[in-house]
Amino acid sequence: MAYLDTYTTSLTASTAAHLLRRATFGPTNQEIVDFTGKTATQAVDLLISNATFRASPPPPVEMDETRADKGQQFLTKPFYGDRTYDYFLFIRYWWIGLMTEQNGHPSVLEKLTAFWQNHFVVTHSSTGDYRFTDRYLRFVRDNAMSNFRTLVIGITKDPGMLVFQNGNENSKESPNENYGRELQELFTVGQKDFAGNANYTEDDVKAAARVLTGWQVNNLWVEGSTSFGSVFNPSRHDTDNKSFSAKYNNTTITGRSGASAGDTELADLTTMLLNHPQTPRHICRKLYRWYINPNVTQEIEDNVIIPLANFFASSGNNYAIVPVLKKLLTSDIFFDSNNFGGIVKSPAEFMVGMLRHFDLPVPDLTSEYTAFRKMMEFQEWAMSKMQLRFLDQPLVFGSVPYYQTGFSKNWINGTTLGLRGQHTDAMVYPWLELKPGYMLGLDFLKWIRQIQPNFSDVAGTEAVTCDVVFAELSKNLFAIEPTQSQKNFLIDTIMMRNIPRTSWKFELNAYRTSPNNADAQNPVLWRCQALMKYMLRMAEYQVF
């Protein structure tokens, strides 16, 4: 296998769907059609360039329709503590909305932002200030496609991170080692290399903490405040030299004083961390697990991770993120059929991907904020119950299935599997009205009318078979094409309930003859509902 060589075969519907499922939170059927026939390079270039269409979306607004300031922006107003949790939810809804509504321009941006948000974890519960959460998310999102060096430096000074990792308490009199440890263990070099050897020492943690002394935040949770952020206080900074171990080639960072000391020493620290040979491998290994397969074998380490890491850190690339992402998403290993269906869908891929697959329209945030809130509440509540809480992960490591043994398999247990079924059932049997005339879910009768040519011409146009209906309802639903025996089971046992397939035509024609008659509608509706309910609960639908 060529591993990182560019995949040169034109994309089929299957490979286009695979790319879109992995690079975004899931495609619509039209997007799969649009990407079919492109080369992998053309497709990925488009997914990258489409990010420009999403660079500056409208900000979140007050989504409680009972309030006088409904529909108004709140981030430009003075801090209002009584609304901090509601505003945090609205920020989360805003981001989930961006994942769901791609506006005809599917992009890598939101999926990559989610990667970095789970990498550089900051939780809202640690700050309690919605402005800190918003600034953190916007920093990660604005720089998701920039440069890893920029991300490391910026996140280190981010006011949310300073609070979350106690960096604002770090002073020369009382160094706090929390962030100095996580910066190495999680964010850059990684705790251990692939062979299990430690990548840094405890003395390196202490030295890093001393480099980072002096950073503080202002106006955290200050009622009525109109500004906030991070500041460097030279009087709290350790101005002595900081010596690191042989893991970092015995590097010494020269101590500085004055207003620029914090930025200067942070730049030196970042350079040292990025020069560590394990840093690019740690990041590329996580990208591989995020986009291709959670299982990194020695073969993958040698033939994918190491050469990709060398490219990432090379002088020609210098830790730019987009070229590495492009190399990964256009590679032979990415399109290897063995990797299709190799990842269990996270609650985000499951919920957002489901709404996108069925092309359910997202209400406009600014003019239909109530309907928007209802849709995003539905998704956010489901994700949280299934153990994914964007912007409020349980640990600094992020969500458990992204780091623990077993990785994505940890999304599935007896509780979450049942919850997945409940939420797919809500699409099959719609109950949530987002606004008058818009129930969130599938309109099977409308779907049948679109599938059946010349719907009203019963005498002149033959009814489509149940095989055709199955093919349309299952189109692009699974990452791996069902076997013929599975298709037969789904049609004969689940859809037709073990009566002859020819019965379908009689039932469909009865509906075509009397489309407004409930007795004529119900057999067609019930069969479609039974089929879709079963397919959405299949194990094959839980992977992508």
Side-chain angles (χ1 to χ4, degrees):
M1 181 185 292
Y3 300 101
L4 287 175
D5 283 0
T6 301
Y7 183 76
T8 57
T9 305
S10 295
L11 299 184
T12 63
S14 175
T15 51
H18 174 68
L19 172 62
L20 290 164
R21 289 189 187 105
R22 296 294 180 87
T24 74
F25 283 102
T28 65
N29 280 311
Q30 185 58 52
E31 288 169 356
I32 294 172
V33 171
D34 293 343
F35 276 70
T36 299
K38 296 182 184 297
T39 65
T41 298
Q42 290 171 333
V44 173
D45 282 345
L46 184 57
L47 289 170
I48 291 169
S49 64
N50 276 350
T52 59
F53 290 96
R54 312 187 56 75
S56 301
V61 299
E62 172 61 65
M63 299 180 199
D64 183 346
E65 67 275 16
T66 66
R67 292 180 54 84
D69 58 348
K70 58 190 175 186
Q72 296 181 19
Q73 300 178 22
F74 54 82
L75 291 166
T76 55
K77 298 179 179 180
F79 177 73
Y80 185 18
D82 287 349
R83 296 289 287 160
T84 189
Y85 188 70
D86 296 280
Y87 288 164
F88 160 61
L89 287 179
F90 296 161
I91 291 166
R92 184 189 271 168
Y93 296 164
W94 172 82
W95 189 27
I96 296 173
L98 294 177
M99 298 174 191
T100 310
E101 177 55 270
Q102 297 287 302
N103 292 319
H105 300 286
S107 162
V108 298
L109 180 55
E110 308 308 338
K111 189 70 169 283
L112 186 57
T113 300
F115 171 81
W116 293 122
Q117 199 277 299
N118 191 78
H119 180 76
F120 296 111
V121 171
V122 170
T123 66
H124 174 77
S125 58
S126 67
T127 67
D129 190 322
Y130 57 88
R131 302 171 303 171
F132 281 56
T133 300
D134 176 76
R135 179 169 296 185
Y136 156 71
L137 173 58
R138 288 176 188 274
F139 170 77
V140 173
R141 189 173 183 274
D142 289 347
N143 292 281
M145 299 173 64
S146 62
N147 189 285
F148 186 62
R149 182 185 301 273
T150 301
L151 279 170
V152 171
I153 291 174
I155 203 67
T156 300
K157 299 188 293 182
D158 178 79
M161 182 64 81
L162 286 169
V163 174
F164 181 49
Q165 287 296 321
N166 307 110
N168 59 318
E169 301 171 9
N170 188 16
S171 68
K172 62 183 179 183
E173 293 84 5
S174 181
N176 187 295
E177 298 174 7
N178 283 3
Y179 186 73
R181 181 180 307 281
E182 308 307 355
L183 178 61
Q184 295 173 80
E185 179 179 351
L186 301 178
F187 301 161
T188 55
V189 302
Q191 185 180 40
K192 296 180 179 179
D193 64 17
F194 194 71
N197 303 304
N199 288 333
Y200 59 89
T201 69
E202 284 300 306
D203 285 340
D204 292 329
V205 172
K206 293 179 171 62
R210 292 173 55 217
V211 170
L212 299 169
T213 51
W215 289 100
Q216 294 180 283
V217 301
N218 55 32
N219 287 338
L220 173 66
W221 249 97
V222 175
E223 194 72 25
S225 59
T226 57
S227 64
F228 70 98
S230 57
V231 293
F232 179 71
N233 186 341
S235 67
R236 294 167 57 89
H237 181 61
D238 186 334
T239 59
D240 291 338
N241 292 345
K242 293 87 178 175
S243 298
F244 291 82
S245 72
K247 301 287 185 180
Y248 295 104
N249 295 320
N250 299 308
T251 296
T252 295
I253 292 180
T254 303
R256 276 91 160 187
S257 59
S260 64
D263 282 320
T264 305
E265 290 193 38
L266 173 56
D268 288 349
L269 176 63
T270 302
T271 296
M272 183 192 78
L273 294 171
L274 267 58
N275 285 340
H276 194 298
Q278 292 304 320
T279 294
R281 296 186 188 185
H282 178 59
I283 302 304
C284 289
R285 202 176 294 123
K286 291 190 71 172
L287 285 168
Y288 179 88
R289 285 174 168 147
W290 183 266
Y291 285 107
I292 298 183
N293 197 305
N295 186 29
V296 178
T297 63
Q298 187 66 58
E299 176 190 9
I300 294 301
E301 180 73 11
D302 294 341
N303 294 287
V304 178
I305 306 304
I306 292 176
L308 187 64
N310 291 340
F311 172 70
F312 190 25
S314 67
S315 58
N317 190 60
N318 195 26
Y319 280 99
I321 294 164
V322 167
V324 170
L325 182 65
K326 180 177 178 179
K327 184 176 283 289
L328 196 62
L329 295 182
T330 60
S331 66
D332 280 336
I333 190 65
F334 179 84
F335 288 100
D336 187 328
S337 60
N338 291 322
N339 288 318
F340 285 41
I343 304 178
V344 175
K345 292 175 181 175
S346 75
E349 279 108 13
F350 186 81
M351 292 301 300
V352 176
M354 180 171 61
L355 268 60
R356 300 210 79 247
H357 174 79
F358 296 123
D359 202 14
L360 299 176
V362 177
D364 183 79
L365 169 63
T366 55
S367 62
E368 299 177 304
Y369 41 82
T370 303
F372 179 91
R373 187 203 75 230
K374 289 180 179 179
M375 176 181 269
M376 300 314 148
E377 275 180 338
F378 174 78
Q379 294 196 85
E380 189 275 333
W381 180 86
M383 292 183 205
S384 295
K385 292 293 184 181
M386 293 188 284
Q387 303 179 346
L388 175 61
R389 292 181 60 83
F390 283 123
L391 303 172
D392 219 3
Q393 283 92 334
L395 296 167
V396 67
F397 297 94
S399 297
V400 170
Y402 290 135
Y403 69 86
Q404 205 171 69
T405 300
F407 290 92
S408 69
K409 293 179 181 178
N410 290 300
W411 290 123
I412 299 293
N413 57 50
T415 298
T416 60
L417 193 58
L419 289 169
R420 286 177 180 233
Q422 288 180 18
H423 285 88
T424 54
D425 286 357
M427 296 295 101
V428 178
Y429 307 99
W431 54 264
L432 177 60
E433 184 179 61
L434 300 183
K435 58 183 178 180
Y438 184 7
M439 297 290 290
L440 183 63
L442 303 177
D443 185 341
F444 288 101
L445 295 180
K446 179 181 177 181
W447 207 337
I448 290 297
R449 292 194 298 271
Q450 293 171 340
I451 294 171
Q452 173 63 55
N454 303 316
F455 179 82
S456 300
D457 182 19
V458 180
T461 306
E462 186 177 6
V464 295
T465 65
C466 55
D467 303 69
V468 171
V469 174
F470 168 79
E472 288 297 320
L473 294 185
S474 63
K475 185 178 181 180
N476 298 318
L477 195 63
F478 303 110
I480 301 173
E481 180 73 9
T483 64
Q484 190 58 52
S485 62
Q486 285 178 306
K487 294 178 182 179
N488 291 338
F489 171 80
L490 289 166
I491 295 171
D492 294 326
T493 303
I494 303 304
M495 182 180 179
M496 297 307 300
R497 302 296 177 94
N498 297 313
I499 66 172
R501 295 187 184 189
T502 52
S503 300
W504 166 262
K505 287 191 175 185
F506 293 105
E507 293 172 344
L508 178 53
N509 279 336
Y511 169 50
R512 295 170 69 191
T513 301
S514 304
N516 297 318
N517 186 306
D519 289 336
Q521 292 174 353
N522 286 337
V524 172
L525 176 62
W526 293 340
R527 293 196 192 284
C528 291
Q529 287 175 324
L531 174 61
M532 186 60 77
K533 175 181 178 178
Y534 192 93
M535 290 194 296
L536 293 177
R537 284 173 170 258
M538 287 172 63
E540 288 84 352
Y541 184 69
Q542 314 304 317
V543 298
F544 73 116

